[in-house]
Amino acid sequence: MRTKHAINNILLQTITLVSGIILYFFLTPYIVRTLGNEVYGINQLLLQTVGYFGIAELGVGLSLSVLLYRELVDNHIDNINALLSAAQRIYMIIGGSIAFVGLIFSFFINSIFSIPDQYASATHIAFLLYIASAALTYFFSVPGILLNTSQRGYKTYLFQLLKPFLTYGAYVVLVYYGFSIVGIAAASFAVAAWYLLGTNRKARQEFPWMNIWQQEKNYAILKTSKYVFIEKLLMLVLFQTDIILISYFLGVDHVAGYALYTVFFYYMKELIIISSNNIINGSGELYQKGEINKVYQLWRDSMSIAFFVAIHVCTGLYFLFPYFFKLWISESLLLSNTVLLFFTINLFYIITLHPTVTILGSQNYYQKRIKGSVAEIIVNIFLSCILIPHMGVLGALIGTAAGHYLVNAWFIPMLFFQSIRQSFSHYFFICLRYLGMLMIVGTANYFYFTYVVVPLLKNIETWFELIAAGLLFLLFTFPLCVLLYKIFDTNFNQVMLRVRGIIYLMNPKK
């Protein structure tokens, strides 16, 4: 049952994300052209700034999920409601605090980021609307956490499927009628309110016994959440700083192109790792039952799949993305191939480390992860501040990559192997095989594109030629990767068995 629920969640999240990507792909060029590069950059700057208010969440949500695992397994309804009620009380305080602090900060945002005078009023109003959306999320998020932790998030399929269509549809209409970033922020607020209210209603239907306002409360989440909060704060600084630093050192006019790359690669990351997002529930249950061998096998299978996908995606993006971007947006916002290389390097890190981060998170290892996160931030921010003024946006990406690979690329896996009581050296031998395969695939594709694909298509200047290039890439890369996996990956057969099992559950024989 747990596996079937996980598959339902994966399918729904995949469909929803793909819908959002398709809408983003078709509508973003219109939005960028209508708003202009500078205004679009300001909007992305506001979104990243509001993201910093997420530190107020204190790590309560993830701590609540971790504590709910055992209570859901044992079906302790009173304990569940006590945890939910405590979280609701905390979230009400957090939401109110965000609204108050955001209101004060809104009066200084234009001067802090040197927003041009002609955009000052719209920036102020848009920021207030984004803050209102953030506060609203905390007021109504607890029932949704219960749905997701119990792996019943797929029950809200209607709301999840309609959300991207309503969001982007509202963006286009409001921008068309001249509402600029104020219209985009207003649409975000309205859709967020609709989605949260709908999710709450569905949660009450699934759990009629749910009571988030009972007098008896269990504040154990605060005991575990402080380390989650510190970890979340550190990750927020790590991943929500680049656009702010670029705006500060280079100006908002440099943000648009970088932001378009960032959002595109974010969507790619989410699409790729979406199946791993449900592992945390399954691995948490396995940890609770003490089935460590199954935890390791789940991690091992996930790593095989993650590297297989990362090799395809990162190699393909490096060779095809410049052609895609010129056809999609324009050549004027195209960044250098060196910048693209570091985008793909950072994406490769995120994809391949995600199974380890996700499974380790279900064991509540946040206190032990703090040292690695602090070290990564120091490396990242220090190098970015030094390099951005001299190297532009490339400096931000180099700082990010250095922080990733010098620190957490080995520190987080070390913690995971400690949690399953196995030798950490085993991890390096696994990764070396996959990195060797990446080098082989990357080198082979360089010659393949240089001497076969581009000459065959006589450059790539139309969507048809780009699609043809993508198909030629897959026809060459996929068989090559399968061959390499069969030769070098001893876990390949086990992964195939797991994939066949998932396919069977999705399409059982009558």
Side-chain angles (χ1 to χ4, degrees), residues 60-71:
V60 171
L62 194 48
S63 295
L64 176 61
S65 294
V66 172
L67 291 174
L68 282 174
Y69 290 143
R70 181 175 294 277
E71 306 302 340

Side-chain angles (χ1 to χ4, degrees), residues 244-259:
I244 293 175
L245 290 176
I246 291 170
S247 175
Y248 178 79
F249 285 112
L250 305 177
V252 294
D253 54 323
H254 287 78
V255 171
Y258 185 87

Side-chain angles (χ1 to χ4, degrees), residues 61-195:
L62 194 48
S63 295
L64 176 61
S65 294
V66 172
L67 291 174
L68 282 174
Y69 290 143
R70 181 175 294 277
E71 306 302 340
L72 286 167
V73 170
D74 297 334
N75 198 31
H76 290 160
I77 293 176
D78 290 339
N79 293 346
I80 293 172
N81 281 330
L83 288 169
L84 296 178
S85 298
Q88 181 65 30
R89 174 68 63 84
I90 295 168
Y91 272 168
M92 293 296 290
I93 297 172
I94 291 172
S97 300
I98 286 177
F100 176 76
V101 174
L103 177 62
I104 302 300
F105 187 78
S106 67
F107 293 104
F108 304 96
I109 190 167
N110 289 316
S111 59
I112 291 174
F113 295 116
S114 301
I115 303 296
D117 292 339
Q118 63 267 35
Y119 306 127
S121 178
T123 300
H124 179 79
I125 296 172
F127 181 75
L128 288 175
L129 287 169
Y130 282 131
I131 285 293
S133 297
L136 193 69
T137 299
Y138 290 106
F139 294 151
F140 296 98
S141 63
V142 169
I145 293 174
L146 178 60
L147 272 176
N148 291 327
T149 305
S150 63
Q151 293 197 346
R152 299 188 188 183
Y154 67 91
K155 297 287 186 177
T156 61
Y157 69 94
L158 181 62
F159 299 99
Q160 295 191 45
L161 290 175
L162 288 178
K163 186 179 180 181
F165 291 94
L166 291 175
T167 301
Y168 281 102
Y171 285 177
V172 170
V173 171
L174 292 171
V175 169
Y176 175 80
Y177 283 103
F179 287 92
S180 189
I181 56 175
V182 174
I184 291 178
S188 298
F189 175 80
V191 174
W194 168 81
Y195 177 77

Side-chain angles (χ1 to χ4, degrees), residues 386-457:
I386 292 176
L387 297 176
I388 289 176
H390 304 287
M391 304 179 68
V393 297
L394 178 61
L397 291 167
I398 292 176
T400 300
H404 286 337
Y405 287 97
L406 291 178
V407 184
N408 275 329
W410 62 268
F411 185 73
I412 290 177
M414 182 187 70
L415 294 179
F416 170 71
F417 274 83
Q418 288 178 357
S419 76
I420 60 174
R421 298 183 292 277
Q422 291 197 22
S423 173
F424 175 51
S425 61
H426 184 55
Y427 176 78
F428 285 101
F429 290 111
I430 293 173
C431 289
L432 283 175
R433 285 199 296 267
Y434 292 131
L435 291 176
M437 286 187 269
L438 172 65
M439 296 300 296
I440 293 172
V441 172
T443 303
N445 267 287
Y446 170 78
F447 291 103
Y448 179 61
F449 265 83
T450 303
Y451 298 108
V452 179
V453 176
V454 175
L456 181 64
L457 296 174

Side-chain angles (χ1 to χ4, degrees), residues 172-173 204 265 296 298 303 472 491 499:
V172 170
V173 171
R204 295 187 183 281
F265 274 80
Y296 172 76
L298 181 62
M303 287 291 288
L472 289 172
N491 197 56
V499 171

Side-chain angles (χ1 to χ4, degrees), residues 58-68 83 218-231 363-367 370:
L58 303 177
V60 171
L62 194 48
S63 295
L64 176 61
S65 294
V66 172
L67 291 174
L68 282 174
L83 288 169
N218 184 349
Y219 287 100
I221 50 179
L222 292 178
K223 296 179 181 179
T224 59
S225 70
K226 60 183 179 181
Y227 299 113
V228 182
F229 161 66
I230 296 173
E231 173 70 11
Q363 187 66 355
N364 201 14
Y365 261 56
Y366 296 99
Q367 180 180 2
I370 290 174

Side-chain angles (χ1 to χ4, degrees), residues 298-341:
L298 181 62
W299 171 84
R300 188 66 182 84
D301 295 348
S302 300
M303 287 291 288
S304 293
I305 296 171
F307 272 95
F308 187 85
V309 174
I311 290 171
H312 280 80
V313 171
C314 293
T315 306
L317 283 175
Y318 180 75
F319 289 106
L320 293 171
F321 186 75
Y323 303 107
F324 166 81
F325 192 85
K326 285 189 287 186
L327 293 170
W328 178 44
I329 301 294
S330 72
E331 192 170 2
S332 63
L333 291 174
L334 185 68
L335 302 179
S336 69
N337 285 337
T338 307
V339 169
L340 176 61
L341 175 63

Side-chain angles (χ1 to χ4, degrees), residues 48 51-52 54-55 62 227-242 269 349-350 353 357 366 369-378 380-381 400 403-404 407-409 411-412:
Q48 191 162 95
Y52 265 90
I55 64 174
L62 194 48
Y227 299 113
V228 182
F229 161 66
I230 296 173
E231 173 70 11
K232 184 172 182 177
L233 171 61
L234 297 173
M235 289 298 98
L236 192 64
V237 173
L238 182 63
F239 289 105
Q240 296 283 339
T241 307
D242 48 358
K269 177 204 72 173
Y349 162 86
I350 292 172
L353 193 66
V357 172
Y366 296 99
R369 282 179 53 181
I370 290 174
K371 292 180 181 179
S373 299
V374 170
E376 181 171 353
I377 286 173
I378 292 173
N380 185 343
I381 303 300
T400 300
H404 286 337
V407 184
N408 275 329
F411 185 73
I412 290 177

